[in-house]
Amino acid sequence: MPNIALELGKVSTNIGVQSAYGEQQDVDGVRLIPVAATWSGFGGGSDPSGGEGGGGGGMTMPVGAYVRRGDTITFEPNLVSLLAVAIPFVWVAGHALSRIIRALKK
């Protein structure tokens, strides 16, 4: 019987920037190196009757790319992803700050 944890570990090695966007590319003398935030989660188990099961998933979000032109390297962010991360962060930070202020007023 295969070990489910080992099988899930093998699958998780394929989740990442390279699987989503591929290797770095050279286009017209400009080197593009994709950057992404990746995360994954897996679970597995068995029951006393011998049944086994598992599952999991992963997600990759493009963050931007490092762009190399000659001797200079710059990071160019993906604005859509930046907004997708920034808007919830600002909401949570504002909500937490309002609760802190309310607690300090008491």
Side-chain angles (χ1 to χ4, degrees), residues 81-93:
S81 295
L82 185 63
L83 287 174
V85 171
I87 290 172
F89 176 75
V90 169
W91 182 85
V92 168

Side-chain angles (χ1 to χ4, degrees), residues 13-30:
T13 60
N14 294 327
I15 298 173
V17 177
Q18 287 183 349
S19 66
Y21 305 108
E23 297 286 334
Q24 61 187 12
Q25 299 292 318
D26 291 320
V27 180
D28 295 331
V30 176

